[in-house]
Amino acid sequence: MGLASARWPGQNCFRMNFRLAQFPGRRVAGGIVLAYILMSAQAAPQTEALFPLKVSSNGRHLVDQNDRPFLVVGDTPWSLIVQPAMPDIERYLADRHARGFNSIIVNLIEHKFCSNPPRTRSGLAPFDRPGDFSTPNGQYFDFAHEVVQKANERGIVVWLAPAYLGSGGGDEGFFKDIKAGGRQRLRDYGAFVAERFKDLPNIIWVLGGDFTPNPPDRWTVTELAEGIRRRDGGHLMTVHNSPENSAAAVYGQESWLTVDAVYSYERTLFHPVLAEYASKPARPYVLIESTYEGEHKATADLIRRQAYWAMLGGACGQFLGNNPLWHFDGPGLYAVKQTWQEALDSPGSGDMSRLGSLFRSLPWHQLRPEEKHSIVTEGYGKDVATALTALTPDQKFSVIYVPSTGTGRRELTVDTSRFAGPASVRWCNPTIAGVTPAEVSVLPNKGAHRLLTPGDNGTGVNDWVLLLQAK
């Protein structure tokens, strides 16, 4: 559907009626509000991608083999291969697929975060000699292959970490084993896993793992990458570094780095996200990790805020993290208040499912960050309240995320003069399902207009998504 169409490209939002009010010197729109919303608990149907994924021609996002844009709606079940038994693995994959998740980060081998590390639930060890990467156990990797294949059957990309290094190179990962084994063993291991998994099209390799090796340790990533490339030139590759270190910032000069990744706990996450968008050369990038549900006193609106900031900051997708879902009730880092089965239906799961459904219905891959506040000229806020805006190059469509500041209405001044024609206005509630029909309001594409957010979104906070479309 073209952007010039009078119909909206998506369904997942409030269509708002507005009554005009006086604003000094101009006609404005203030909000009265009840509207049209879809936001179903399950994601809208999506076209299954033809894997393997590749980089778009402009270097900004991922596409499938038919060049269809692939929006990364991700989850982080790091211990999926080792902690659950196969029936629970299948339950997890079926649930994520039903909710519209199409990407998951998984450790191929696990050093700490499972009940009997590094063994699977059934007792399979990855190496015949513990920590010796030159002695892979074929049965273990056959089982791992089966898990990745089951994800492939559900249209899910496995962002597979072949040798997680671990925070600070400590006991969480394999950094010390890798150092002890040396460069050649690591390179040979990379070639082994590449050969074993190259028949599966639904893989993106994730090197590193909560650690940023610098000289003289850089080879603990680069040798693995070279080993993989020796046997597998068809899968994309990225790096999961330590917090506040993007993949491109550390390995941007490496030819094998095809996908960038942002990992940040910064309160104003839009800063590192926008910085990555501005980096050269252009690469598709994802928000690979930020605050997880169930950790660091995370709130539901914080989880939404970091995800929407990523999407409007130029990312081609983002990953949800949840405690205990990332370790499936195995050893973790923080106390848990629910089982992993209960966590499948967490607020974040629902909100990210809705985010995926919303953006898939929009021309998301055309959006570019608008950093000069030329659309939302007043009321965009600061710090964690900063409203982020993205706009299509043809200036016919814009998405604005307005973070929560409590329960009241926020006032925004919107300048529609940049739009190619009169702009339809729609508010989207990122938290609620339901349907209430109403008309679409239209603003002329000249002058400034005052908009009020609808207020409490039904969850005790007031974050909203605003869509503007030239008619």
Side-chain angles (χ1 to χ4, degrees):
M1 186 183 305
L3 284 175
S5 169
R7 294 181 60 194
W8 284 95
Q11 309 176 53
N12 301 343
C13 304
F14 272 1
R15 284 182 176 176
M16 306 295 294
N17 271 336
F18 289 90
R19 62 184 176 192
L20 295 177
Q22 279 307 123
F23 198 54
R26 56 213 177 210
R27 296 283 287 175
V28 299
I32 285 227
V33 207
L34 280 175
Y36 167 42
I37 191 173
L38 152 55
M39 291 294 188
S40 64
Q42 300 294 318
Q46 56 181 320
T47 302
E48 295 295 345
L50 182 61
F51 300 144
L53 298 178
K54 56 185 181 178
V55 175
S56 64
S57 59
N58 67 358
R60 287 296 184 187
H61 57 276
L62 301 177
V63 297
D64 73 355
Q65 289 296 303
N66 290 322
D67 291 321
R68 294 175 297 195
F70 184 87
L71 173 68
V72 176
V73 182
D75 196 20
T76 51
W78 288 94
S79 300
L80 180 68
I81 289 173
V82 291
Q83 180 65 11
M86 184 56 79
D88 282 332
I89 291 172
E90 294 186 301
R91 174 181 177 178
Y92 168 82
L93 292 171
D95 178 274
R96 298 293 97 171
H97 177 259
R99 296 176 191 270
F101 288 85
N102 58 20
S103 297
I104 55 175
I105 301 176
V106 178
N107 269 335
L108 178 55
I109 55 177
E110 179 59 67
H111 194 269
K112 182 176 182 178
F113 299 113
C114 62
S115 296
N116 187 21
R119 298 176 181 273
T120 65
R121 174 73 68 172
S122 64
L124 294 173
F127 306 116
D128 292 334
R129 291 192 297 270
D132 185 345
F133 280 58
S134 68
T135 63
N137 174 5
Q139 286 183 301
Y140 178 96
F141 290 96
D142 288 348
F143 176 77
H145 187 279
E146 183 181 1
V147 174
V148 179
Q149 173 60 40
K150 288 184 179 298
N152 184 48
E153 293 166 1
R154 293 169 173 82
I156 296 174
V157 178
V158 178
W159 296 56
L160 193 60
Y164 179 80
L165 295 179
S167 179
D171 68 347
E172 293 179 1
F174 290 89
F175 178 75
K176 293 178 181 178
D177 294 322
I178 288 170
K179 289 274 286 184
R183 294 170 179 262
Q184 190 60 52
R185 284 188 181 182
L186 182 61
R187 184 178 284 233
D188 290 345
Y189 171 74
F192 166 76
V193 297
E195 185 68 30
R196 186 66 191 87
F197 290 91
K198 70 179 183 181
D199 63 308
L200 295 176
N202 64 318
I203 287 176
I204 292 178
W205 294 108
V206 180
L207 309 186
D210 272 305
F211 193 40
T212 306
N214 289 307
D217 299 327
R218 189 182 185 86
W219 66 266
T220 59
V221 169
T222 58
E223 291 290 348
L224 181 58
E226 294 300 333
I228 291 173
R229 277 290 171 260
R230 186 191 304 173
R231 302 289 179 84
D232 176 10
H235 291 113
L236 301 174
M237 195 176 298
T238 190
V239 182
H240 181 280
N241 285 319
S242 59
E244 317 313 328
N245 288 281
S246 73
V250 182
Y251 298 99
Q253 77 283 9
E254 303 288 352
S255 61
W256 47 259
L257 184 71
T258 47
V259 180
D260 195 4
V262 174
Y263 179 7
S264 177
Y265 289 109
E266 187 171 326
R267 291 177 70 250
T268 51
L269 181 66
F270 61 90
H271 286 308
V273 167
L274 290 172
E276 216 58 35
Y277 182 81
S279 67
K280 303 295 182 183
R283 286 186 179 91
Y285 71 93
V286 294
L287 178 61
I288 201 165
E289 186 165 334
S290 191
T291 303
Y292 279 25
E293 282 188 294
E295 300 179 358
H296 302 290
K297 299 181 180 179
T299 59
D301 65 295
L302 181 153
I303 300 298
R304 292 192 297 273
R305 182 173 70 231
Q306 60 195 24
Y308 279 94
W309 272 349
M311 290 306 306
L312 300 185
C316 64
Q318 50 76 45
F319 285 85
L320 170 71
N322 173 277
N323 177 39
L325 199 50
W326 69 263
H327 53 81
F328 293 92
D329 298 343
L333 296 173
Y334 301 90
V336 297
K337 297 181 179 179
Q338 58 183 178
T339 66
W340 73 263
Q341 292 92 340
E342 293 169 333
L344 290 170
D345 197 32
S346 71
S349 291
D351 290 342
M352 295 308 101
S353 177
R354 283 182 283 272
L355 179 148
S357 183
L358 170 61
F359 276 91
R360 276 192 292 269
S361 70
L362 306 176
W364 65 269
H365 60 288
Q366 299 177 28
L367 292 170
R368 302 292 180 264
E370 197 285 298
E371 302 180 60
K372 297 181 179 179
H373 305 299
S374 60
I375 295 177
V376 180
T377 59
E378 298 176 16
Y380 47 78
K382 62 180 181 179
D383 297 330
V384 297
T386 298
L388 215 59
T389 300
L391 179 71
T392 55
D394 61 7
Q395 301 187 12
K396 291 184 177 181
F397 189 72
S398 180
V399 183
I400 301 151
Y401 176 69
V402 187
S404 178
T405 55
T407 58
R409 294 182 176 181
R410 285 186 63 174
E411 181 178 309
L412 309 177
T413 299
V414 176
D415 185 347
T416 56
S417 61
R418 287 191 60 180
F419 285 82
S424 297
V425 178
R426 185 167 53 159
W427 288 103
C428 299
N429 187 330
T431 71
I432 301 175
V435 176
T436 307
E439 296 180 6
V440 174
S441 177
V442 178
L443 301 176
N445 59 326
K446 60 182 178 180
H449 310 275
R450 182 170 65 92
L451 304 181
L452 294 177
T453 65
D456 189 337
N457 60 26
T459 67
V461 295
N462 66 347
D463 59 322
W464 290 84
V465 182
L466 173 61
L467 305 185
L468 301 172
Q469 184 186 16
K471 296 183 72 67

